[in-house]
Amino acid sequence: MDSINTLFIFSGSLIALSILASRLSSLFGLPLLVIFLGLGMLAGEDGLLGIEFDDYSLAFIIGHLALAMILLDGGLRTRLKTFRVGFKPALSLATLGVFVTSGVVGVFAMWVFDLNLIQGLLVGAIVGSTDAAAVFSMLSGSGVNINERVSATLEIESGTNDPMAIFLTITLIEVLTGDIGGPLDTLLMFIKQFGLGLLIGLGFGWLSARLLRAMDLAPGLYSLLALALGFCIFGLTSALGGSGFLAIYLAGLMIGNRPGRHLQFILPVHDGLAWLSQIGLFLVLGMLVSPSEMLEYALPGALVALVLIFVARPLAVVLAIKPFFSFRWREITFISWVGLRGAVPIVLAIFPVIGGVENSALYFNVAFFVVLLSLLVQGASLAPVSRWTRVEVPIGVTPNHRGVLGILPENDYEVFVYKVENEALEDVPIRLLRFPSGALISALFRQHAMLHPKGSTQLRLGDELCVIGRTDDLPALNRLFNGNARLKRERAFFGTFTLDGDALMSEVASAYGLTLSPGEQDMSLGEFVSLRVGGHPVVGDDVGWHGIHWVVSAMDANRVTKVGLRLYQ
Amino acid sequence: MPGKLPHMTLQTILPPERTLTAVPGGSKKRVLEFFSTFIAQNTPSLDSQEVFSRLIGRERLGSTGIGNGVAIPHARSPHCKAPIAGFLKLQEPVDFDAIDGEPVDLLFVLLVPEEADETHLSLLAEVANVMNDAGTRTQLRKSESQHELYETLTQAIHRLSDGSSQ
């Protein structure tokens, strides 16, 4: 009985401490995952609590469970429309990119640790994939809005490259332990891993999404059902020899992209589950390492990490992206820098231990160093690097909170909460607001009290307004609540003047005295800019032409609808 | 830019008599019509119909309303010998389809000769800079007489050129 009580006290207090310590992250800019890892180490055998934890098989199970939940959540959050610009480059990074990274790191590890080629490559494969959880949390936590081409590529890459790294790791372990079949068997296994993962993930994910939407359940049960279905898909795929990780990510993608009332119950719970997974995973991993043993790997481990960060990852990104897609060099630089490693390498480093590979401590400790340095060096510098490489795009006001009302079956009306920050709105009576027809202010909160808004009610800075309206009203509402400071920042980025994407190039040229080649006369401005960008434009892309920066400032799917003119000063 | 003083240009192309206050509003079209008629009387080489169609043609590509109640209509014109600027303060703000949706009451109009493309752009950038300043906008809105309006504008242009020459 005592051991159960101890378990409760330890796990409870560790998780609670981790959550409280997460505040430190925003105070000192220390990456969150490093804090969790540090707490785990403090609790571990060389730390304050001195808990002897070296149950690798338990850590292995916890690792799988946590990764599955993190990938499910990642899929739920990835919008399918970002696939427009991100899918192909991400796929190239997830396959070719992982291959190159693993290879370069592998050869270096072979040299530095005096291993044979296969052992070296195993080190490379273990640290070969970027971590979905780390990338997702760093991107959203850094508070910068990164252009869609880059953010979509990074997100989709991190969700899809784990299967490749897992495949490489398992294959290499089988070679080392002598369980490997011929090359034909390996190829078959490769096809099975990805084919089944893709098929079952998409197929059953689609079915699950339909089921979840059709069911009428108590609110708390939706997320549970989604999780249970996700686990079924993971298990089924793995049992048949496919990649469960790929399948559960795709299932999440399918579920998350079928709109409906159920999503607003599912998403917050899975957000919490993903957090719990990250905290649990990093705590366990922190406890699993023995810092005293780790020391002898410190120098070579750090070298491997540096080679990964400064050589292997940049090389892989350039090779996987530059020849096939039109990315700018600064975008390539940023993507290279955000090759964050997280839980996956550490979980993968447990594979050799379980698989009984000799010298398995080496893999685990090296992976640990790589992850730690990657989080510290790359994670902590994300925001400055995004500014330096100019991949940041200013965003206007969006509602602080929005929720589907769910009264009409087609889910038409939503409630949007805005805070009055725009000085131009101070003292303006509500009836004078340029409000979209069909939307209305249902409540006004001021100084902890709810006021009944009337036409004559004058707004004040700091008021919180609940607006009921439809998605179509959002642009007008955002514009209304957009403060002056934001407008100024947007103007500095997108330019003073905005032209319609539909405007004819011949007319734009005659307005500004620009020279066009014959083929360009009949194009619209949007088409022209798309062409100059090199296809698949995103908001924030700019083209220098005739002493003007032509900046893509609004898009509708793949069509440029607004182009800003930024004049050189 | 060496050897070029664009701020001087901006001031020289905007004489006091082209700074108009209490201009009747009505609509975007009306205001542009008003300016075209005015400028054709002021500068004999210009044709009011031609100026109007150039300005309206530019608006069709996208509104020149840059937000905060300001618009900078601009166009190239073959009959224009040297850059010409005009400033209009409206009695009543008009809907200009501006970027922030706010109605416009301050207009800085710019006409340039067809060959002066680089000057066109640098003048535009300079006008945008002047009108970007919240203090200047407030002062312009407070100015009651034509004289006061002109003084405010000249000072704003001066401040800017002092600032940029540092």
Side-chain angles (χ1 to χ4, degrees):
Chain A
M1 212 48 205
D2 264 0
S3 64
I4 289 186
N5 294 341
T6 331
L7 183 70
F8 270 88
I9 294 170
F10 272 132
S11 55
S13 53
L14 269 178
I15 292 173
L17 258 177
S18 305
I19 293 168
L20 294 177
S22 70
R23 291 292 302 148
L24 291 177
S25 167
S26 41
L27 283 180
F28 300 111
L30 202 63
L32 216 56
L33 302 178
V34 175
I35 295 178
F36 302 153
L37 208 56
L39 274 172
M41 285 165 80
L42 275 180
E45 52 200 296
D46 292 330
L48 297 174
L49 295 183
I51 301 169
E52 290 264 357
F53 179 79
D54 44 19
D55 190 344
Y56 279 86
S57 45
L58 181 63
F60 193 64
I61 294 169
I62 293 177
H64 272 75
L65 209 62
L67 277 187
M69 285 204 270
I70 290 168
L71 281 168
L72 179 62
D73 182 61
L76 284 171
R77 255 155 241 292
T78 306
R79 300 274 68 85
L80 262 179
K81 72 179 181 67
T82 64
F83 273 56
R84 174 182 75 88
V85 285
F87 179 64
K88 286 180 197 159
L91 204 65
S92 177
L93 281 173
T95 48
L96 182 63
V98 172
F99 221 80
V100 174
T101 316
S102 306
V104 173
V105 173
V107 170
F108 181 75
M110 179 179 103
W111 175 73
V112 105
F113 291 108
D114 200 15
L115 302 170
N116 68 34
L117 181 66
I118 303 295
Q119 290 166 327
L121 287 178
L122 181 55
V123 174
I126 286 171
V127 299
S129 77
T130 63
D131 187 72
V135 171
F136 288 127
S137 80
M138 288 287 175
L139 282 181
S140 58
S142 59
V144 287
N145 180 48
I146 287 157
N147 96 37
E148 194 190 359
R149 176 181 302 114
V150 173
S151 60
T153 302
L154 283 169
E155 276 189 16
I156 302 171
E157 179 206 6
S158 66
T160 49
N161 65 6
D162 301 336
M164 185 70 182
I166 293 168
F167 168 77
L168 288 177
T169 307
I170 293 174
T171 310
L172 289 166
I173 288 176
E174 284 178 355
V175 173
L176 282 176
T177 52
D179 294 339
I180 189 81
L184 200 67
D185 284 349
T186 315
L187 186 72
L188 200 66
M189 175 182 153
F190 181 85
I191 294 171
K192 254 172 102 177
Q193 283 273 319
F194 286 86
L196 283 176
L198 209 69
L199 227 61
I200 302 178
L202 289 179
F204 281 78
W206 184 77
L207 283 176
S208 307
R210 293 198 60 128
L211 181 68
L212 277 164
R213 178 161 156 156
M215 293 286 275
D216 193 13
L217 295 173
L221 292 179
Y222 283 104
S223 53
L224 217 54
L225 183 59
L227 183 68
L229 290 169
F231 278 174
C232 287
I233 291 169
F234 183 92
L236 180 71
T237 316
S238 305
L240 292 174
S243 167
F245 295 103
L246 181 62
I248 199 169
Y249 173 77
L250 293 173
L253 197 67
M254 291 279 117
I255 295 171
N257 280 286
R258 183 166 282 268
R261 190 177 76 110
H262 60 291
L263 276 188
Q264 83 186 85
F265 303 124
I266 293 177
L267 289 176
V269 178
H270 278 267
D271 189 43
L273 283 176
W275 274 115
L276 180 68
S277 306
Q278 290 194 47
I279 293 173
L281 196 54
F282 277 81
L283 282 177
V284 166
L285 297 172
M287 283 174 21
L288 204 56
V289 294
S290 327
S292 51
E293 277 177 38
M294 224 165 59
L295 278 179
E296 62 175 297
Y297 297 101
L299 188 65
L303 280 177
V304 171
L306 292 178
V307 166
L308 170 70
I309 293 172
F310 291 103
V311 182
R313 168 78 179 170
L315 191 68
V317 174
V318 170
L319 285 180
I321 285 189
K322 198 63 193 171
F324 314 115
F325 311 99
S326 57
F327 279 56
R328 277 145 205 69
W329 278 110
R330 47 194 173 81
E331 292 171 336
I332 301 244
T333 312
F334 185 74
I335 293 175
S336 304
W337 193 250
V338 193
L340 287 173
R341 314 287 133 164
V344 180
I346 309 189
V347 174
L348 283 182
I350 305 176
F351 280 60
V353 184
I354 303 285
V357 175
E358 64 168 323
N359 210 1
S360 56
L362 175 128
Y363 302 106
F364 190 77
N365 288 312
V366 172
F368 190 88
F369 263 107
V370 169
V371 171
L372 194 65
L373 267 178
S374 165
L375 288 175
L376 279 175
V377 175
Q378 296 173 307
S381 57
L382 205 76
V385 173
S386 75
R387 274 187 283 275
W388 177 64
T389 52
R390 290 181 290 125
V391 291
E392 212 184 343
V393 176
I395 30 169
V397 162
T398 50
N400 292 336
H401 174 82
R402 59 188 285 190
V404 179
L405 288 179
I407 293 167
L408 297 174
E410 49 288 12
N411 267 318
D412 232 349
Y413 282 92
E414 283 185 69
V415 58
F416 307 114
V417 179
Y418 285 97
K419 190 169 187 170
V420 179
E421 288 166 333
N422 184 356
E423 280 168 30
L425 294 181
E426 172 116 297
D427 294 331
V428 175
I430 284 176
R431 84 185 119 79
L432 289 188
L433 292 180
R434 304 170 62 81
F435 226 65
S437 60
L440 102 161
I441 299 178
S442 58
L444 190 161
F445 292 86
R446 179 181 297 165
Q447 288 164 352
H448 295 278
M450 190 178 102
L451 304 183
H452 181 73
K454 288 194 285 278
S456 59
T457 311
Q458 294 187 335
L459 296 180
R460 294 219 197 117
L461 286 181
D463 282 358
E464 301 231 34
L465 300 177
C466 298
V467 180
I468 294 181
R470 279 169 288 198
T471 320
D472 293 346
D473 300 326
L474 267 180
L477 289 170
N478 289 340
R479 214 160 57 176
L480 180 68
F481 290 102
N482 213 357
N484 220 335
R486 280 179 197 261
L487 182 66
K488 237 180 157 161
R489 220 170 330 156
E490 282 171 41
R491 223 154 39 193
F493 185 88
F494 293 113
T496 310
F497 299 103
T498 307
L499 300 183
D500 288 333
D502 294 334
L504 276 180
M505 257 339 259
S506 50
E507 291 176 19
V508 175
S510 90
Y512 290 98
L514 315 170
T515 337
L516 291 175
S517 63
E520 293 165 344
Q521 294 280 356
D522 301 326
M523 279 185 196
S524 74
L525 175 61
E527 288 164 352
F528 175 79
V529 172
S530 301
L531 193 74
R532 289 279 171 131
V533 167
H536 297 296
V538 295
V539 170
D541 276 345
D542 69 310
V543 176
W545 184 54
H546 271 283
I548 301 175
H549 277 296
W550 306 77
V551 191
V552 177
S553 61
M555 304 242 356
D556 179 17
N558 224 344
R559 203 168 59 88
V560 178
T561 54
K562 300 259 179 217
V563 177
L565 259 72
R566 201 170 75 227
L567 307 165
Y568 292 107
Q569 293 291 319
Chain B
M1 263 173 259
K4 233 172 156 192
L5 294 168
H7 51 272
M8 285 299 288
T9 327
L10 184 52
Q11 206 186 342
T12 42
I13 65 172
L14 182 68
E17 71 270 16
R18 285 207 293 262
T19 312
L20 307 176
T21 182
V23 171
S27 69
K28 179 172 176 172
K29 194 167 156 256
R30 281 272 185 74
V31 174
L32 293 179
E33 250 167 8
F34 175 90
F35 175 80
S36 309
T37 315
F38 165 79
I39 203 72
Q41 284 165 357
N42 179 281
T43 315
S45 71
L46 292 174
D47 172 55
S48 77
Q49 261 311 308
E50 207 260 332
V51 171
F52 176 71
S53 71
R54 293 263 169 178
L55 286 174
I56 267 299
R58 169 60 189 84
E59 294 300 323
R60 248 186 262 120
L61 305 176
S63 171
T64 56
I66 65 165
N68 306 110
V70 174
I72 310 177
H74 53 275
R76 300 156 77 231
S77 163
H79 304 300
C80 200
K81 303 273 178 285
I84 291 172
F87 188 87
L88 284 75
K89 184 181 161 185
L90 305 186
Q91 264 170 346
E92 282 292 321
V94 296
D95 188 18
F96 220 85
D97 196 21
I99 185 98
D100 62 350
E102 291 286 308
V104 161
D105 63 340
L106 302 175
L107 289 95
F108 207 128
V109 194
L110 206 58
L111 295 175
V112 292
E114 284 210 307
E115 56 277 14
D117 294 326
E118 261 184 48
T119 324
H120 186 189
L121 296 181
S122 67
L123 281 174
L124 268 180
E126 202 183 348
V127 172
N129 256 347
V130 171
M131 300 310 290
N132 240 335
D133 184 58
T136 306
R137 291 195 301 266
T138 317
Q139 267 192 314
L140 288 172
R141 292 199 168 102
K142 275 194 206 140
S143 305
E144 307 232 319
S145 64
Q146 187 172 15
H147 176 72
E148 218 180 318
L149 203 59
Y150 180 72
E151 283 300 307
T152 312
L153 271 175
T154 353
Q155 276 166 23
I157 295 169
H158 260 288
R159 260 204 310 279
L160 201 77
S161 55
D162 289 349
S164 62
S165 62
Q166 272 166 15

